[in-house]
Amino acid sequence: MRPIKICVLEGDGIGPEIVRQAVRVLKAACDARQIALYFNYALLGGAAIDVAGTPLPDATVAQCKASDAVLLGAVGGEKWDSLPSALRPEKGLLGIRSALGLYANLRPATIFPALQSASPLKEEIIRAGVDILVVRELTGDVYFGEHARKQENGYETGYDHMQYSTFEVGRIARNAFELARKRNRRVTSVDKANVLETSRVWRETVTRVSQDYPDVALNHMYVDNAAMQLVRNPAQFDVLVTGNLFGDILSDEASMISGSIGMLASASLGDGTLGLYEPIHGSAPDIAGKGLANPLATILSAAMMLRYSLDLPELADAIEKAVESALDVARTADIRDPALPVYSTDEMGGFVAGKVKELLEK
Ligand code: IPM
Ligand code: MG
């Protein structure tokens, strides 16, 4: 097998410390199978603003494009909050997603058996099972429409243009149906077609694409209802496909069902195999550098990388199993359990790396 090239974007806040643990786990997995890995570090977000004066330097885009996959920590922090919008760290994140054509954002929300009690939902709701894959469109919608400010009737007025084309909706819908085929063959498409024209295009297009997938059940849901159904009866969802803005909101809600946002991974994919993998939580500057951060979401993102970009499902399985074992042995502070020791970021990463090695060398 040829050597694998991974571009690493540590980002800000807890980014560097959680990414370090994911790199360690990837190395342990690939070492066990004699697969050569190269890590190439590039700047994104606040870290890039500080060094290069821009949240997304051209060199970062070039380095990502020359890689097999991208591993990202998190971006942002108070330090850069007062900068004009084009210079904010978040702009770097949106920019890299768009520059790499990563229009499909996969955010699985599942409950680890060991963490059931961490969910804020009642036990009887959780017991019905939670295994949702949020498929969020990532390079369109109001996120990438024109943003402007104008004086109108004497008032300063903000504009954000929302749009979706049948092309954009068609390709994300296909993604969702293909993914549903590998799961429980149900797709819920979420929109606001009772109000928005973009949503009417969305709904018509998803319905049209569904004709090519007669083996997958499709239902449509308005976004307000979906927000309610996610906490009322999450077991009804298998694949939930939606636009960029609704997906941003609903994926945070879905993640909380699992008890800790510190556990959830994501993959951003385009038409090729190049993908970007990041935890869905933020950069948590308040706990940065203290060894308190939970590295498991980033480690699980590395597992998704092995599965979706690198075609190494055996290694992905080993990492996911190792994370489950870790939860029985110790916890990071965010998911603390009185019966178990609290591990630092580094201890947790070390445990998972050791377990991965053990599982693969068995
Ligand atoms: C996310 C984040 C980003 C988004 C922000 C940081 C721009 O909330 O990845 O969900 O809105 O996409
Ligand atoms: Mg978000």
Side-chain angles (χ1 to χ4, degrees):
M1 188 170 170
R2 72 184 174 84
I4 294 168
K5 282 191 281 182
I6 297 174
C7 187
V8 182
L9 309 172
E10 294 183 316
D12 311 314
I14 58 171
E17 58 202 285
I18 52 178
V19 161
R20 205 172 303 135
Q21 302 311 320
V23 165
R24 186 172 177 190
V25 170
L26 278 170
K27 276 187 186 151
C30 289
D31 275 359
R33 288 288 174 273
Q34 282 92 46
I35 297 167
L37 268 182
Y38 291 97
F39 294 94
N40 194 348
Y41 287 74
L43 294 167
L44 182 77
I49 296 171
D50 288 349
V51 174
T54 159
L56 179 60
D58 292 343
T60 296
V61 177
Q63 274 173 281
C64 288
K65 283 187 176 164
S67 305
D68 297 299
V70 182
L71 179 67
L72 167 65
V75 299
E78 226 170 79
K79 184 176 169 195
W80 306 280
D81 275 352
S82 55
L83 290 170
S85 63
L87 277 180
R88 289 175 58 111
E90 290 80 1
K91 203 75 190 171
L93 183 57
L94 300 181
I96 192 71
R97 290 169 176 171
S98 169
L100 301 179
L102 307 175
Y103 60 84
N105 185 215
L106 277 41
R107 298 186 163 186
T110 47
I111 297 205
F112 288 87
L115 292 181
Q116 285 203 1
S117 61
S119 172
L121 295 189
K122 288 207 185 85
E123 208 195 306
E124 68 246 37
I125 297 182
I126 294 305
R127 226 181 301 124
V130 179
D131 183 5
I132 307 173
L133 179 62
V134 177
V135 178
R136 170 190 177 193
E137 198 289 330
L138 202 60
T139 53
D141 201 354
V142 68
Y143 270 66
F144 289 90
E146 198 198 337
H147 308 290
R149 268 173 197 244
K150 291 175 197 159
Q151 286 295 325
E152 222 159 70
N153 304 322
Y155 295 102
E156 175 144 324
T157 307
Y159 286 85
D160 300 279
H161 185 91
M162 182 180 259
Q163 71 180 64
Y164 262 127
S165 69
T166 54
F167 170 72
E168 292 172 298
V169 181
R171 63 182 182 177
I172 191 75
R174 266 178 213 289
N175 252 272
F177 285 108
E178 293 291 338
L179 288 160
R181 274 191 170 157
K182 296 182 195 139
R183 298 171 45 97
N184 295 313
R185 295 178 184 259
R186 283 182 286 131
V187 169
T188 302
S189 171
V190 174
D191 61 40
K192 188 71 185 169
N194 49 346
V195 178
L196 302 173
E197 205 52 45
T198 43
S199 280
R200 287 190 271 270
V201 168
W202 179 279
R203 193 175 279 223
E204 285 160 24
T205 308
V206 174
T207 304
R208 207 173 311 121
V209 169
S210 76
Q211 288 163 4
D212 294 340
Y213 298 87
D215 52 322
V216 178
L218 167 69
N219 70 313
H220 298 279
M221 207 179 265
Y222 295 138
V223 64
D224 48 350
N225 184 29
M228 189 262 277
Q229 296 296 340
L230 271 172
V231 288
R232 195 186 72 92
N233 174 21
Q236 71 186 286
F237 296 102
D238 176 21
V239 172
L240 189 163
V241 64
T242 190
N244 206 345
L245 182 63
F246 299 155
D248 178 44
I249 300 165
L250 294 180
S251 62
D252 266 31
E253 186 188 2
S255 76
M256 197 56 219
I257 296 172
S258 81
S260 173
I261 196 164
M263 292 299 301
L264 296 185
S266 83
S268 303
L269 305 169
D271 284 326
T273 58
L274 175 64
L276 182 147
Y277 299 84
E278 58 177 317
I280 84 157
H281 61 70
S283 60
D286 52 321
I287 58 162
K290 297 184 178 152
L292 290 172
N294 182 350
L296 294 177
T298 318
I299 290 172
L300 290 167
S301 301
M304 288 186 91
M305 173 191 288
L306 291 164
R307 201 181 296 287
Y308 291 107
S309 282
L310 305 176
D311 198 22
L312 294 166
E314 185 210 4
L315 305 194
D317 285 344
I319 293 179
E320 284 159 5
K321 278 208 195 81
V323 168
E324 287 207 26
S325 322
L327 292 172
D328 291 333
V329 171
R331 299 292 172 79
T332 44
D334 56 318
I335 47 173
R336 156 193 322 264
D337 178 318
L340 296 173
V342 175
Y343 272 6
S344 67
T345 310
D346 188 64
E347 285 168 331
M348 186 53 94
F351 181 90
V352 175
K355 196 77 197 172
V356 164
K357 186 165 183 281
E358 187 189 310
L359 285 169
L360 289 170
E361 283 172 359
K362 228 189 240 164

